[in-house]
Structures are given as C-alpha cells and as structure tokens.
Amino acid sequence: MPSNARRNSKPKKEMSKEKTQMGPSSGAAFVQTQTSPLPSRCAVSARLAQQAEHAHQQEQQRAVVALTPRDDEPNLFNIPSIISPIYRPVPLWLNFVIGTASLAVVGRNIISSLIQSLQLEWTTKKIISLLLRYVVLWSVARIVVQEGFYCPSRVTSQYLADTGSLPSILSSYETITPISVGGSQSIPIGVHYLKYTSKTSTNKKYAAIQFHHGFGASSLSWLPILPSLTDRLSDVSVAHDAPGFGFTARPNADTVEGLAQYRSNNSVGIGLALLQNSINKNSEERQGENDMKEIVIFGHSMGAKAALLTALACSSDKKLKMHPGLVVLVAPALEGITLPTRSRKKPMAELPNKLNGVRRWLASFWISWRKLFLDWPFQYLLRRLVGTRNFWRKGLSQAWGDAQRLSDSDVLRFQWPSIGKGWERGLISFARSIQSSDDADLLRQVANLANTTVLVVYGSKDNVVRVNEKVLDLLKNDFRMVKVLRMEGLGHDPFEEDKDMFLDMITS
C-alpha cells in the first residue's frame, strides 16, 4: 500500500475514540482531525459551475450534431429540426375546439332564446350575420393560437454562435469595428460573415476577394461559388451580411447613429475591416511584405453600389494598402443606369441628440406613431408572408431564368436568415436608411481608376434588374472602360443558377 494511503487509513476505533474525546468547545480541533472535511461553499460553487459548464458543452455538442450538411452543397447546413422557419399548422383537434368555442360564443343568444321559448325566427340577415361573426371570431382565435404556439422560431445570432448552429461551416459571428468610409462612424457591431482560405498553394494574382450581397439576401448567396472562385483567383475571401440582413446585428434605428449603421457606407466599412484582418493574417502566416495588395470586389444587385464604394475607399485611403484590381458587378441595381434616378430627401433623424424640449417630445411622438401604425403592422405582414411554406420557392422562381434550376439548397440559403430574431425590423430600418445617390458617377470614377478592370455581368432573363438595349447603349457610349458580359438563359442570380458557367466567364 502506498505510504500516503497508509497515513490516511486509521483504524475506525481509533478515529471514533478521537471524536469522543473532543468536547463541544473544541470544534476547531475536531475539524482538523477529520479525514474527510465537509465541502466549503466555494467548493460547492465550483462543482456547480463545472456541472453547468459540462451541461453547456453537451448542449453545444447536441446542436452541432443536429446540423447536417446538404448533399449537394456540403458547406451549407440544414436548419436544425428544433427550429421552424415557417408557421406550423394548427392540429385538427385544436381547430375543432376553436371552432366549437367560437360557435358557442357567437350563438349564445340563439341558444338562450331556444332554451327560454323553444322558438326562433330565422331570417336571411340573421343567418348571414351569424356566419360572418363566426368566421371572424374563429379566424382571429385561430391566428392567436398559431401566433402563441405554432409560430416560426426566432433566435439571436449570438445563440447560434454559442451553440455552434450558424448556417455554414464557413460562418463566423463576432464584433467588428468598421473602418470609417465617407464620414461614417466606426461603431462596433456584431457581424455574421463567411471566410474561406484557399486550399491551393499556387501563387494567385489577387490577395483577397470581397463579396457584397443583394437586397433580401445574405452572404449565403455567394456560398456556391465562394470556395471555387477563391481557389482560382486569390488566397482568401470574405462575405458578410450587411446590417439589416442575414444574421448581422440590427442597431436601434430610432437614433441618428443607429440609422446610419444601416447605410451602404457602414457596410463597406465592415467589409474593409474584415478584408484587412484576413489579408494581414495571411501575410503574417506567410511572412509576406506589407506592400499593396491586389483585391477583387464582387457586388450583386443592391450590393453593386457597396462594391463601387469599396473600390473608391481602397484607392483613396493608401493606409488600407489594398488596390481594386478587379470589380465585378452582377445584375447591378444602380440609379441612373439600370434603375431610374430618384429624388429622396434626407430621412428624418428620428431622435437627434441635440433635440430637447418640445422638439424632442414631438420626435418621440412621431416615433411612437410610426411604430404603432406603420412599422409593427408591416413587420407582422412580413412575418406572415415569409412564414408561409412556399414563399421563398415561389419568389425565387420569378428571379431565376429557369425555375427548373431552382434547388432546395437555393431556397434554403434564402430561408436561413428568416429565423433571425428581429429580421423584419432590420429590413424596415434598412429601407428607411436608403438615400438617393449618383451611382453613375460612382461607376465612372471606378472605371477610370488606374489598373482597375470593371465587369458588368447580367442574365438575359433577368426580370428584377433589366439590362435592356437602352442600358447597353448607355454602358457602351458613356462607360467604354466597362466590359459587359451576358449570360444566356439565366436570371437575376446567375452565379447561383449556373456556377460553372459563371466561374469560367470570370476566370477566363
């Protein structure tokens, strides 16, 4: 027997004798002679903390196990079964209970009359009135029950990150401080983004690729081509969710600072911060020089403006040490080119810090009125609409050039963000933040940058942003430095509809 075991193994009789010799006044001595002292409060707290940590780890493991990758798109996970992105149907038995209760409430006067006099005069007006009241009450009661117990799931981005349940193996969620662009403030914000590092060791022409998504989409839109495009062109690529979309945090848009975070300048600042961090990390790992890095910038639809702003920011701020070698605008939604120029006044600042007294009270009243009669009803309508089973499939079928190409994975990439808590509010906040701009001038400035190639790619069957003969003539006459590429038979999302064709067109 080991010596320390022998020292701790006293005979039971001897231990008992020690205890009986200790009186009530010798409590301290009694504790010292105990071989197994009672655990202290600190020890109990530590044990409880360990148990809680173990339970949290098990919960994370269960969440990770619940995430299954798609067979046709390994980088995309299925939504966990415990989370429902749509409204679930009310069970038949509960519908029967609701219908019976509604009929009893509506027909209580009729039942009372029958009990009292055993006769009732039926008229067409009474029958119609009874049916209308019954249908309205049953519908309202059913909606209330569905909203309370069978509504779509809503989870925070932080919850998804903590439980390892983000939508892609390439996903990350962290707080990013945007780089100031065009006077925007650098306010830290939680950002969901995709990052992919090339698995090929050959020397690449570009150091990194930045992707900007379109309206109603997220960084997941770029998932089908992001790895392949990176392996062919660059060392690393990043694509983030713009504020108001996907799983990026949604600031309070009732203040000047909060509303400004939804604008394109702030999204560009987020992208530049992510791009700079990724390039610097790669340079440190490869012990590269801190010289100017050539980058590629992609922008789809609404994201085309963000791509142009990114290119201009890189060219004007030499501290970034990034040069836009290639700018690709896919189905660009640009005012003055593919979209009509519109005049929009600067949006109301909602709650400026400088307001006080009556003006501040009026601003607060306007915010309350707007939320009550505009924001909340519209958010609920969005929730009901997007929560229907086939919403995304029907909508995307209109955007695709050939609806037969639309796969379940295509639908899933758009459906994932709808489980995010407050996505409806974020969409409305973004819409309120939009300001009119001279996008044609932005394109002209980028096209005139030295050693910068600008490509405009569009699908011949794009029904969302139409590139017609008038647009083509404008690009040909006023933007001769811009190269236009047409993808036959494809719609608004050509890089999702035919990945191989898009890759060959860009890299050839």
Side-chain angles (χ1 to χ4, degrees), residues 102-173:
S102 300
L103 184 60
V105 172
V106 171
R108 63 184 183 276
N109 293 331
I110 299 175
I111 296 173
S112 177
S113 299
L114 289 174
I115 293 175
Q116 293 178 4
S117 61
L118 299 180
Q119 55 180 322
L120 181 66
E121 294 182 2
W122 290 97
T123 63
T124 303
K125 185 177 180 181
K126 287 184 177 181
I127 294 175
I128 294 176
S129 176
L130 176 66
L131 290 176
L132 286 177
R133 283 184 292 163
Y134 169 73
V135 170
V136 170
L137 183 59
W138 176 81
S139 299
V140 171
R142 187 177 179 278
I143 290 175
V144 170
V145 170
Q146 192 175 37
E147 287 291 342
F149 302 98
Y150 302 97
C151 62
S153 304
R154 291 293 183 266
V155 295
T156 64
S157 302
Q158 192 62 57
Y159 168 82
L160 293 175
D162 291 343
T163 58
S165 302
L166 290 171
S168 172
I169 194 173
L170 306 180
S171 289
S172 296
Y173 182 81

Side-chain angles (χ1 to χ4, degrees), residues 400-477:
W400 255 236
D402 182 2
Q404 299 299 322
R405 292 178 178 268
L406 185 64
S407 67
D408 291 339
S409 293
D410 294 329
V411 175
L412 184 60
R413 286 195 301 274
F414 283 83
Q415 192 176 49
W416 252 106
S418 65
I419 69 172
K421 187 175 183 180
W423 72 265
E424 306 95 334
R425 174 174 55 84
L427 187 64
I428 293 174
S429 298
F430 172 82
R432 287 176 42 227
S433 73
I434 296 176
Q435 293 180 333
S436 181
S437 61
D438 189 352
D439 296 340
D441 184 60
L442 293 179
L443 178 58
R444 188 174 292 105
Q445 292 182 53
V446 174
N448 290 329
L449 292 177
N451 302 319
T452 298
T453 301
V454 180
L455 300 180
V456 170
V457 183
Y458 73 98
S460 63
K461 293 186 177 181
D462 189 346
N463 295 319
V464 180
V465 177
R466 297 180 183 274
V467 180
N468 51 32
E469 292 299 326
K470 182 179 179 181
V471 174
L472 292 175
D473 289 341
L474 177 64
L475 292 173
K476 181 180 179 180
N477 297 327

Side-chain angles (χ1 to χ4, degrees), residues 80-353:
S81 58
I82 60 174
I83 296 176
S84 174
I86 62 175
Y87 280 94
R88 291 161 291 169
V90 178
L92 185 60
W93 68 268
L94 189 52
N95 265 319
F96 177 77
V97 172
I98 295 173
T100 304
S102 300
L103 184 60
V105 172
V106 171
R108 63 184 183 276
N109 293 331
I110 299 175
I111 296 173
S112 177
S113 299
L114 289 174
I115 293 175
Q116 293 178 4
S117 61
L118 299 180
Q119 55 180 322
L120 181 66
E121 294 182 2
W122 290 97
T123 63
T124 303
K125 185 177 180 181
K126 287 184 177 181
I127 294 175
I128 294 176
S129 176
L130 176 66
L131 290 176
L132 286 177
R133 283 184 292 163
Y134 169 73
V135 170
V136 170
L137 183 59
W138 176 81
S139 299
V140 171
R142 187 177 179 278
I143 290 175
V144 170
V145 170
Q146 192 175 37
E147 287 291 342
F149 302 98
Y150 302 97
C151 62
S153 304
R154 291 293 183 266
V155 295
T156 64
S157 302
Q158 192 62 57
Y159 168 82
L160 293 175
D162 291 343
T163 58
S165 302
L166 290 171
S168 172
I169 194 173
L170 306 180
S171 289
S172 296
Y173 182 81
E174 61 179 285
T175 300
I176 302 296
T177 300
I179 293 174
S180 179
V181 176
S184 62
Q185 295 185 0
S186 299
I187 303 176
I189 183 174
V191 177
H192 168 254
Y193 64 94
L194 306 178
K195 180 179 178 181
Y196 177 81
T197 302
S198 176
K199 296 180 180 178
T200 59
S201 57
T202 56
N203 292 329
K204 308 292 177 52
K205 182 178 180 180
Y206 302 102
I209 305 176
Q210 170 68 43
F211 296 90
H212 295 275
H213 64 80
F215 183 84
S218 70
S219 58
L220 297 177
S221 296
W222 295 104
L223 196 56
I225 67 163
L226 191 145
S228 300
L229 199 58
T230 307
D231 287 336
R232 295 190 189 188
L233 292 180
S234 72
D235 297 325
V236 65
S237 61
V238 289
H240 71 280
D241 297 343
F245 302 95
F247 294 107
T248 290
R250 298 164 179 85
N252 178 17
D254 292 334
T255 64
V256 174
E257 296 80 5
L259 190 63
Q261 287 184 272
Y262 288 92
R263 298 198 176 105
S264 297
N265 283 349
N266 193 57
S267 181
V268 170
I270 293 172
L272 288 174
L274 290 170
L275 203 59
Q276 192 174 56
N277 292 340
S278 300
I279 292 176
N280 291 342
K281 186 176 181 180
N282 269 14
S283 299
E284 291 174 2
E285 292 177 351
R286 301 187 182 189
Q287 298 179 351
E289 299 290 337
N290 290 325
D291 54 355
M292 188 69 68
K293 303 294 183 182
E294 291 286 318
I295 64 171
V296 184
I297 308 168
F298 281 80
H300 174 235
S301 192
M302 174 199 73
K305 178 180 177 180
L308 294 175
L309 291 172
T310 301
L312 291 176
C314 290
S315 64
S316 61
D317 190 352
K318 302 303 180 183
K319 294 180 181 179
L320 295 175
K321 296 184 178 180
M322 291 184 285
H323 177 264
L326 176 63
V327 179
V328 183
L329 309 177
V330 185
L334 299 174
E335 290 187 39
I337 300 177
T338 57
L339 298 179
T341 302
R342 56 197 176 88
S343 176
R344 176 169 180 150
K345 296 180 179 179
K346 185 177 180 180
M348 185 174 179
E350 307 310 37
L351 205 57
N353 296 329

